[in-house]
Amino acid sequence: MQEYVVYKRVSTQEQGRSGLGLEAQERDIGLFLDGFSEVPYAVVATFTDILSGADSDRPELTAALDVCRKTGATLLVSKLDRLSRKVSAIAALMDDKRLTFRVASMPYADKFQLHIYAALAEQEREFISMRTRAALAEAKAKGKKLGGLRDKTMKRNAVIQANAAARADKVAGIIEPLREAGKPLREIADHLNKARVATARGGQWQASQVKRVLDRLSSAE
């Protein structure tokens, strides 16, 4: 029988929003167990940390890992960032010969793919942070004082624009070569979906979304 130890993590802010963070993780884990797990299976234990993703002291994760190592059960999380947002931490878990883990939202991903995904996600977060700081510095250099309701809106808009630009840059390596090869927008969207590259909202790509990314990449040149 396949045995699992389920681990969930939410920040105090997510938990404050009526537990929606936990509900989403429970939903994804349930979908994995029902549609992708070997059968029969059993969930032998469940652990939940309520703390920031940047917090390295996670007592419930430590307990979950201990159970997995002792019993041979597989650690199951809803998303890779529930384990950690650091590539080094993910790599250390992958190198642990006494541990196996699965990611519910990426049911077919092997260790190599998970490592690449973690690295890309870390790069994206770093780039978004840099892009946001640059956008705010540019606004300040143009004489716009950052303060008050209007300027808070400007800050928020700058962050949104920076995030959108970072996401466009992330998929440029897939979209631009296909477009240069003459592939239609719909076919490019199909390639992204087959590669399991999610949109900003975690959905499927459409031709119109591919066009928006191409337009954004073109305007950034």
Side-chain angles (χ1 to χ4, degrees):
M1 176 182 290
Q2 174 63 57
E3 294 184 335
Y4 294 101
V5 171
V6 170
Y7 174 70
K8 296 173 287 184
R9 179 184 62 78
V10 290
S11 68
T12 51
Q13 183 179 9
E14 288 171 329
Q15 178 67 1
R17 292 197 292 266
S18 303
L20 292 179
L22 283 177
E23 290 176 7
Q25 291 176 64
E26 290 166 357
R27 177 202 63 209
D28 290 350
I29 287 168
L31 288 172
F32 173 86
L33 293 173
D34 291 340
F36 300 96
S37 174
E38 298 176 16
V39 291
Y41 70 83
V43 175
V44 298
T46 299
F47 298 88
T48 304
D49 275 319
I50 302 177
L51 38 75
S52 167
D55 194 334
S56 59
D57 182 17
R58 303 183 185 182
E60 292 296 291
L61 176 58
T62 299
L65 295 174
D66 286 343
V67 172
C68 288
R69 292 178 180 121
K70 290 175 181 177
T71 65
T74 296
L75 185 69
L76 177 60
V77 295
S78 63
K79 296 174 63 179
L80 193 57
D81 66 4
R82 297 301 89 183
L83 274 179
S84 178
R85 292 176 178 172
K86 296 180 179 179
V87 177
S88 58
I90 297 296
L93 292 176
M94 289 180 176
D95 289 340
D96 190 332
K97 303 300 182 183
R98 298 176 297 161
L99 179 68
T100 58
F101 67 86
R102 299 291 300 275
V103 179
S105 60
M106 302 175 70
Y108 296 119
D110 57 25
K111 284 189 174 183
F112 176 75
Q113 291 169 323
L114 290 173
H115 192 280
I116 294 298
Y117 179 84
L120 289 173
E122 184 173 271
Q123 288 181 19
E124 182 181 25
R125 286 190 296 272
E126 292 174 355
F127 189 80
I128 288 173
S129 179
M130 292 173 60
R131 199 78 176 257
T132 301
R133 291 195 300 269
L136 294 176
E138 182 179 353
K140 187 175 181 180
K142 290 179 179 179
K144 298 179 180 179
K145 295 181 179 180
L146 301 180
L149 182 60
R150 179 179 177 181
D151 293 321
K152 286 181 179 178
T153 300
M154 186 189 71
K155 277 186 179 181
R156 184 171 62 251
N157 290 341
V159 171
I160 292 172
Q161 291 298 318
N163 290 350
R167 287 193 297 269
D169 289 337
K170 183 179 179 182
V171 297
I174 299 176
I175 290 179
E176 289 184 324
L178 290 172
R179 191 57 171 170
E180 290 171 2
K183 301 297 183 182
L185 298 175
R186 185 182 299 278
E187 186 172 335
I188 296 174
D190 289 341
H191 275 283
L192 289 166
N193 292 329
K194 289 177 182 178
R196 301 187 184 280
V197 178
T199 64
R201 296 186 177 181
Q204 295 282 300
W205 285 85
Q206 305 293 332
S208 58
Q209 293 167 302
V210 174
K211 184 177 185 305
R212 283 198 295 271
V213 170
L214 287 168
D215 290 343
R216 182 173 294 278
L217 292 169
S218 177
S219 65
E221 294 178 350

